Amino acid sequence: MSTRRKFLKSVVMTAAMGPFTGALLPALADIRELPSPADVNGVQSLRAHAEKHGLLVGCAVVPERLNKEPQYAGVVAAQANILVAENAMKWKALRPAPDKFDFSGGDMIVAFASAHRQKVRGHNLCWHEALPDWFASTVTKENARQILTEHIKTVAGHYAGKLQSWDVVNEAIDPKSDRPDGLRKSPWFELVGPDYIDIAFRTARKADSSALLTYNDYGIETDAPDQTKKRAQVLELVRGMKKRGVPIDAVGVQSHLGATDPAPGNGLRDFVRELRRMRLRVFITELDVNERKLEGSEAERDAAIARIYKDYVTMMVAESNVDAVLTWGITDRYTWLNGPKFSRPDAKPQRCLPFDADYQPASAFFALRDALDSRPAKSHP
Ligand code: XIL
């Protein structure tokens, strides 16, 4: 099928699915004609560089922006060969009521990606956050297991064959937990019990046999004692899963890095290598650099942020089982780091992503691109 026909087919399929579609047709059609800012500047995209090395590069996206903001959509189309939903595939978005599923946002991302030859990661099937308001009053010890498996069956079934990977379980380890295995006392843990993780992965595999099933977590990047401990607990978790024959293919290292934190180093590298010995892939799933505490001029801040992108991604892509790098957003115009929790004391906006708030490539863009280019041609065994 020609690209154009495939594109039309995906739009028509989406049109049958949900409420956003009135505006979807013209917006998607328009942005196909737009040159990307990177091309305008004569600068080659992250995507072009990643593809030379067989790597995936991309970002978290918001479907309404892909639909309504041509500049945003243009940059995402030009730069990424893989997308992930920032919020659109979480329980809160998909489950307006206990008996209802709303796939409109997620479907829009999948349609956009298929129109632009991009892969999609699913995020996520099971997490202690972003649960719908009805959750607390509806889910009990008696029905939790059934509600969890039903959700995974329906959602992973809906997207079966369309996703590169799923974050099946997100953030299940909490080093502050009093349990030696570090399992977080999440609603799922409390209501289903510690085997909720195995259940989630087994159910996901049955519903979608092609997506790579991923365990995703944060705070496992640096050699600080709490992060070292958490890494060991994550390793134990996935080792146990492998031993029990639970289907898991990859670990997601979120990589929300802090500009003033110690630089990730040997601990993370050893972790990635240990996962390789267990035949697991590793994805950088949510990279950004929180520069809340960074002082100095804009140029100094940009240089420090770029260095972190460069050093971190260079270290990671040197490992042959690391093959995807996704940032948590693409432009400083829209980043969760400008929310109240992470805003800078001087109230200046964070400069944490590859494109600045005006969609110009930032120093971080060039740093990330150089890092992708550093991927060794021949991977070690
Ligand atoms: C964040 C989103 O970026 C925000 O828009 C939302 O309000 C809260 O969640 N780890 C994750 C992501 O796995 O899902 C989180 O995303 C960021 C931290």
Side-chain angles (χ1 to χ4, degrees):
M1 207 183 322
S2 74
T3 316
R4 176 92 195 140
R5 278 191 51 204
K6 250 191 236 156
F7 164 67
L8 283 174
K9 189 172 164 226
S10 70
V11 168
V12 171
M13 272 169 55
T14 314
M17 291 174 192
F20 291 114
T21 46
L24 178 67
L25 253 163
L28 271 183
D30 287 350
I31 63 109
R32 281 175 62 80
E33 314 308 329
L34 275 180
S36 76
D39 292 336
V40 171
N41 295 343
V43 176
Q44 260 203 340
S45 65
L46 295 173
R47 171 182 189 157
H49 280 250
E51 283 168 11
K52 275 190 266 177
H53 306 283
L55 290 169
L56 294 170
V57 70
C59 59
V61 293
V62 173
E64 294 81 355
R65 288 186 195 129
L66 292 175
N67 194 12
K68 293 193 186 125
E69 299 180 36
Q71 221 180 353
Y72 175 87
V75 172
V76 170
Q79 299 299 329
N81 58 18
I82 185 163
L83 308 180
V84 60
E86 182 169 355
N87 292 304
M89 292 192 194
K90 293 174 183 172
W91 277 66
K92 206 176 174 61
L94 292 177
R95 304 299 301 277
D99 57 347
K100 279 211 181 91
F101 288 82
D102 176 359
F103 292 113
S104 52
D107 288 352
M108 198 186 291
I109 294 173
V110 170
F112 183 93
S114 119
H116 298 97
R117 293 176 295 104
Q118 295 164 316
K119 295 183 190 291
V120 180
R121 304 195 71 239
H123 174 82
N124 53 57
L125 292 169
C126 182
W127 190 26
H128 61 284
E129 286 188 31
L131 292 167
D133 294 339
W134 53 261
F135 187 92
S137 58
T138 312
V139 187
T140 64
K141 284 194 170 172
E142 283 64 50
N143 64 16
R145 183 183 172 135
Q146 208 253 330
I147 291 180
L148 177 66
T149 52
E150 203 51 48
H151 178 87
I152 296 178
K153 247 192 243 169
T154 309
V155 175
H158 179 84
Y159 290 112
K162 296 180 179 165
L163 302 185
Q164 177 262 2
S165 57
W166 259 116
D167 287 335
V168 180
V169 174
N170 197 32
E171 305 181 352
I173 297 287
D174 173 8
K176 291 195 201 88
S177 154
D178 53 15
R179 294 173 55 92
D181 60 10
L183 282 188
R184 182 189 295 277
K185 303 282 180 59
S186 79
W188 294 117
F189 174 88
E190 302 285 7
L191 295 169
V192 180
D195 60 344
Y196 83 91
I197 299 174
D198 291 6
I199 293 170
F201 276 81
R202 291 190 199 278
T203 312
R205 179 69 101 218
K206 259 191 230 147
D208 181 349
S209 58
S210 64
L212 297 172
L213 303 186
T214 309
Y215 173 76
N216 193 47
D217 217 329
Y218 70 97
I220 50 174
E221 295 84 9
T222 78
D223 289 338
D226 55 329
Q227 301 216 358
T228 301
K229 178 177 173 192
K230 186 165 177 176
R231 248 191 326 265
Q233 289 171 326
V234 170
L235 214 47
E236 273 314 296
L237 171 70
V238 298
R239 194 175 279 129
M241 290 170 71
K242 291 286 267 185
K243 235 197 240 153
R244 295 189 294 278
V246 176
I248 175 169
D249 306 297
V251 170
V253 180
Q254 289 188 9
S255 313
H256 294 293
L257 305 179
T260 42
D261 290 349
N266 293 341
L268 178 59
R269 187 188 287 122
D270 291 347
F271 174 78
V272 170
R273 291 183 179 172
E274 190 55 37
L275 292 171
R276 186 175 71 231
R277 284 190 279 275
M278 292 163 65
R279 306 205 175 286
L280 291 169
R281 298 211 213 180
V282 173
F283 307 135
I284 295 177
T285 51
E286 307 184 14
L287 175 61
D288 54 18
V289 176
N290 185 342
E291 55 127 347
R292 193 163 56 95
K293 297 190 203 139
L294 209 53
E295 289 172 358
S297 69
E298 229 163 58
E300 284 164 339
R301 283 162 55 202
D302 284 355
I305 294 160
R307 173 139 294 279
I308 293 167
Y309 268 89
K310 174 99 179 265
D311 291 349
Y312 183 69
V313 177
T314 300
M315 174 180 99
M316 291 293 272
V317 301
E319 304 303 317
S320 60
N321 55 333
V322 175
D323 51 16
V325 182
L326 289 96
T327 51
W328 205 239
I330 188 79
T331 162
D332 295 339
R333 181 177 286 251
Y334 302 119
T335 160
W336 73 310
L337 294 179
N338 278 336
K341 199 166 148 201
F342 299 114
S343 54
R344 289 174 53 87
D346 61 10
K348 286 184 183 153
Q350 292 231 14
R351 301 170 66 80
C352 50
L353 287 166
F355 284 79
D356 72 12
D358 299 317
Y359 293 102
Q360 296 307 306
S363 314
F365 167 91
F366 297 99
L368 172 55
R369 222 183 46 175
D370 287 350
L372 296 171
D373 279 334
S374 76
R375 170 76 155 189
K378 216 169 139 228
S379 309
H380 37 78

